[in-house]
């Protein structure tokens, strides 16, 4: 054990760095987690946090984490104190979002570690058990003074202390995508974590085109901007990536973010005209989840994911023609899937979600289900959108699959679980042929805003507030949701 090393680490430890600058919320959006990060561009400044050391680069730059100098260590958290407790600055600081008096607040808290660190998780585990600390108190200590090696294509080599900040006004290229502004690279959990540090509004502009397309009508872009902003703010409240070293990831797990990719004037206008607007309900942000195409009606969050019923995610009618049809019933759902609906004005991805057909061999389905043989199937339950929520398979075992996503995966990755098996028209047990044909409608989980519906409404001159009201009933739009100290 090296006590001097541990204390040095604890003095400067910072896990994540969401911050408020000039009344604007800045977030760390993760771009990549890898052993090496290769970026390129002109006039790129790389700077150490402390002590101050900066260098300018142009061309291709490779950042690596030399393993020899970066042994990771494990510590045991003794207790966590918040910033209101004076005199405890020697802990590892992490910023955490909380809802306070109806507003989102950014709080710092400090994890105070035991005076001992360990080379392996097992060693830490042994002591934690002896001293009665739960396993969740064992954490890899972020090695803030780890060395990051920076190699330029001109053969120049430099070592920086983690974390480093990168400034690139004219942008950097990473994986064929351009990102502009400020970045953070840090050593965490034995990897390099590469984050874009940017204002919430800039982030939203990088999400909207990747979620709904950049040539959508203005009111649909605005609806998407408000939904994406609300979803982001809602996710922040869960601190779901706090231990990973960033606020949100850039994949579908949070929301797809790709920097400048697909951005244009229309996108920036939609974000600007709805600046700061989020959907609000019961003194909190309304989680504005969304999906590609409901297929007629949206479903409730409870039917799709269980959990607490939410009045703004209880399902609504998207297509008027489906309004009086009970899609949770078998014959009605089948009849609806076969009812033709207008696809006028739709782009190809929208049309693809309205009617689709897939097939799978019984052999493949048997394999996907982990069965030896399969004889028959039985649809058990559909949600308000007509999505199958539960289905039974009979073979060498009987399997009941629950959840629209698992059902889609079992059939080889269907666009949605709003489908029927050709030849099966009732809720009773049916035997399966060797080739199984599926006919369906809709794409995605079906909860919250339907993007195809938002586009259709925008083309029919509905404004974004009315679009949002349809998919998130009982919500209001507010801009004053961030608690300023
Ligand atoms: Zn995520
Ligand atoms: Zn819809």
């Amino acid at each position: 054990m090296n006590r001097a090393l541990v204390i040095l680490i604890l003095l400067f430890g910072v896990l994540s760095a969401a911050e408020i600058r000039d009344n604007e919320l800045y977030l760390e959006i993760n771009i990549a987690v890898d052993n090496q990060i290769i970026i390129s561009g002109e006039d790129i400044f790389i700077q150490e946090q402390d002590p101050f050391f900066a260098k300018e680069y142009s061309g291709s730059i490779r950042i690596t984490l030399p393993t020899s100098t970066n042994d990771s260590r494990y510590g045991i958290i003794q207790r966590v104190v918040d910033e209101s407790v004076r005199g405890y600055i020697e802990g590892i600081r992490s910023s955490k979002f909380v809802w306070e008096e109806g507003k989102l607040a950014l709080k710092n808290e400090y994890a105070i570690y035991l005076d001992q660190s360990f080379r392996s998780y097992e060693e830490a585990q042994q002591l934690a058990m002896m001293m009665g600390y739960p396993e969740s108190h064992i954490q890899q200590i972020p090695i803030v003074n780890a060395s990051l090696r920076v190699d330029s294509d001109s053969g120049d080599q430099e070592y920086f202390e983690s974390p480093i900040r990168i400034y690139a006004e004219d942008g950097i290229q990473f994986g064929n995508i351009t990102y502009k502004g400020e970045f953070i690279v840090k050593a965490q959990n034995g990897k390099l974590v590469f984050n874009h540090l940017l204002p919430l509004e800039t982030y939203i502009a990088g999400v909207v085109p990747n979620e709904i397309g950049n040539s959508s009508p203005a009111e649909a872009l605005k609806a998407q901007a408000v939904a994406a902003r609300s979803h982001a703010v809602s996710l922040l409240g869960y601190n779901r990536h706090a231990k990973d070293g960033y606020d949100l990831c850039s994949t579908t797990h949070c929301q797809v973010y790709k920097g400048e990719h697909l951005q244009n004037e229309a996108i920036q206008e939609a974000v600007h005209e709805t600046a700061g607007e989020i959907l609000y309900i019961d003194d909190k942000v309304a989680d504005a989840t969304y999906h590609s195409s409901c297929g007629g009606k949206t479903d409730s969050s409870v039917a799709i994911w269980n959990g607490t019923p939410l009045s703004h995610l209880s399902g609504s009618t998207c297509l008027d023609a489906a309004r009086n049809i009970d899609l949770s019933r078998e014959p009605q759902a089948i009849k609806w899937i076969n009812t033709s609906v207008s696809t006028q004005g739709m782009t190809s991805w929208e049309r693809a979600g309205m009617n689709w057909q897939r097939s799978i061999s019984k052999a493949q389905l048997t394999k996907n289900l982990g069965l030896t043989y399969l004889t028959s199937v039985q649809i058990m339950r559909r949600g308000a959108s007509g999505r199958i929520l539960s289905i039974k398979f009979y073979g060498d075992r009987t399997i009941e699959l629950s959840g629209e996503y698992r059902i889609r995966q079992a059939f080889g990755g269907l666009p949605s679980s709003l489908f029927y098996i050709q030849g099966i028209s009732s809720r009773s047990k049916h035997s399966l042929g060797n080739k199984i044909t599926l006919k369906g409608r809709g794409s995605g989980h079906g909860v919250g805003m339907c993007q195809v519906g938002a586009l259709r409404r925008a083309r029919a001159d509905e404004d974004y507030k009315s679009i949002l009201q349809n998919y998130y009933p009982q919500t209001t739009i507010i801009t004053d949701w961030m608690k300023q100290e």
Side-chain angles (χ1 to χ4, degrees):
M1 170 197 34
N2 183 340
R3 182 173 289 201
L5 170 70
V6 175
I7 289 168
L8 182 70
I9 290 167
L10 296 188
L11 272 173
F12 299 113
V14 178
L15 265 173
S16 68
E19 57 188 63
I20 297 167
R21 285 185 203 167
D22 305 326
N23 292 328
E24 205 170 359
L25 178 61
Y26 276 67
L27 300 172
E28 279 191 52
I29 307 296
N30 181 251
I31 300 173
V33 177
D34 211 337
N35 293 319
Q36 65 166 17
I37 303 291
I38 297 171
I39 55 174
S40 62
E42 299 299 310
D43 306 327
I44 299 170
F45 286 89
I46 298 186
Q47 181 187 304
E48 260 176 16
Q49 204 124 289
D50 187 28
F52 186 84
F53 173 66
K55 204 174 153 127
E56 190 187 346
Y57 291 87
S58 280
S60 173
I61 303 158
R62 189 162 65 105
I63 306 167
T64 48
L65 183 64
T67 46
S68 58
T69 59
N70 295 296
D71 282 345
S72 62
R73 300 187 77 91
Y74 293 88
I76 300 168
I77 296 173
Q78 195 185 20
R79 63 189 189 284
V80 176
V81 295
D82 72 39
E83 58 192 335
S84 63
V85 180
R86 301 284 165 207
Y88 287 106
I89 51 150
E90 76 271 31
I92 291 190
R93 175 165 71 86
S94 56
S95 47
K96 195 180 142 192
F97 288 99
V98 287
W99 281 93
E100 245 181 34
E101 294 152 10
K103 289 190 179 179
L104 187 72
L106 191 54
K107 295 267 167 216
N108 284 322
E109 56 177 37
Y110 298 85
I112 316 290
Y113 283 71
L114 290 182
D115 232 4
Q116 230 172 326
S117 69
F118 306 90
R119 290 218 170 268
S120 75
Y121 185 85
E122 289 69 29
E123 276 178 76
Q125 200 179 22
Q126 260 181 11
L127 189 78
M129 253 171 72
M130 240 167 62
M131 298 185 68
Y133 288 104
E135 227 174 299
S136 61
H137 281 222
I138 305 167
Q139 303 245 311
Q140 196 162 32
I141 299 172
I143 308 175
V144 173
N145 56 345
S147 306
L148 304 184
R149 203 176 94 183
V150 177
D151 290 276
S152 74
D153 55 2
S154 58
D156 184 59
Q157 188 177 98
E158 202 74 62
Y159 284 85
F160 291 82
E161 278 184 10
S162 167
I164 53 175
R165 295 218 173 200
I166 302 173
Y167 298 91
E169 285 302 315
D170 298 331
I172 55 164
Q173 269 71 250
F174 176 79
N176 290 327
I177 295 173
T178 304
Y179 299 88
K180 278 182 189 166
E182 192 174 340
F183 307 85
I184 292 178
V185 177
K186 54 188 153 191
Q188 189 144 340
N189 303 329
K191 296 259 188 190
L192 287 172
V193 174
F194 175 36
N195 298 340
H196 200 172
L197 178 66
L198 75 174
L200 174 69
E201 296 301 312
T202 313
Y203 162 70
I204 298 302
V207 169
V208 171
N210 295 294
E211 293 287 2
I212 201 167
N214 65 355
S215 57
S216 302
E219 296 303 309
L221 291 176
K222 287 194 225 169
Q224 180 66 64
V226 177
R229 193 181 291 109
S230 307
H231 191 46
V233 170
S234 169
L235 290 176
L236 292 177
Y238 295 112
N239 299 292
R240 69 205 295 208
H241 284 300
K243 282 183 185 171
D244 305 323
Y246 45 87
D247 297 305
L248 300 172
C249 72
S250 54
T251 72
T252 51
H253 175 260
C254 288
Q255 294 186 104
V256 178
Y257 168 73
K258 290 186 180 175
E260 304 291 305
H261 179 63
L262 296 179
Q263 274 201 50
N264 58 27
E265 234 168 80
I267 299 287
Q268 271 142 22
E269 241 166 68
V271 174
H272 182 72
E273 281 170 27
T274 61
E277 293 184 357
I278 65 161
L279 295 163
Y280 203 69
I281 192 165
D282 300 334
D283 287 337
K284 242 183 124 179
V285 61
D287 185 2
T289 185
Y290 51 89
H291 63 279
S292 177
S293 171
C294 71
K297 284 180 174 177
T298 67
D299 223 308
S300 74
S301 61
V302 176
I304 302 297
W305 300 308
N306 299 315
T308 319
L310 299 167
S311 52
H312 72 286
L313 296 179
S314 55
S316 54
T317 298
C318 180
L319 270 173
D320 255 339
R323 189 174 298 277
N324 298 317
I325 306 173
D326 183 356
L327 297 177
S328 71
R329 298 173 69 98
E330 207 56 32
Q332 282 89 330
I334 294 170
K335 195 176 166 204
W336 171 247
I337 291 166
N338 287 320
T339 303
S340 68
V341 291
S342 166
T343 55
Q344 206 191 345
M346 286 187 177
T347 56
S348 59
W349 72 265
E350 293 169 69
R351 271 197 304 275
M354 290 317 292
N355 282 295
W356 50 260
Q357 184 171 324
R358 300 282 190 280
S359 64
I360 186 169
S361 68
K362 188 163 79 174
Q364 186 61 51
L365 178 60
T366 308
K367 201 176 148 198
N368 293 355
L369 292 166
L371 292 174
T372 311
Y373 69 87
L374 173 64
T375 53
S376 42
V377 69
Q378 187 176 13
I379 310 275
M380 305 302 289
R381 196 160 67 91
R382 289 183 188 268
S385 72
R387 279 167 175 72
I388 299 174
L389 303 178
S390 177
I391 186 168
K392 252 184 191 172
F393 296 97
Y394 301 87
D396 47 308
R397 286 179 293 130
T398 302
I399 296 178
E400 180 160 359
L401 265 193
S402 293
E404 62 91 33
Y405 187 73
R406 286 173 71 198
I407 294 166
R408 281 154 65 184
Q409 292 312 106
F411 283 95
L414 301 176
S416 84
S417 75
L418 171 53
F419 68 88
Y420 69 92
I421 302 167
Q422 210 162 41
I424 298 182
S425 57
S426 74
R427 286 280 159 91
S428 49
K429 197 167 150 185
H430 288 269
S431 59
L432 286 164
N434 285 329
K435 190 187 170 206
I436 301 158
T437 302
L438 314 156
K439 281 191 164 181
R441 176 164 281 178
S443 171
H445 53 63
V447 181
M449 187 175 78
C450 161
Q451 292 170 317
V452 165
L455 289 163
R456 188 184 62 246
R457 286 163 193 271
R459 286 184 193 115
D461 292 329
E462 206 171 310
D463 72 13
Y464 78 99
K465 289 184 178 172
S466 154
I467 294 171
L468 291 166
Q469 207 46 238
N470 184 72
Y471 297 106
Y472 309 110
Q474 296 172 50
T475 55
T476 50
I477 291 178
I478 67 158
T479 54
D480 180 26
W481 48 268
M482 187 80 205
K483 191 166 179 175
Q484 307 280 358
E485 291 303 328

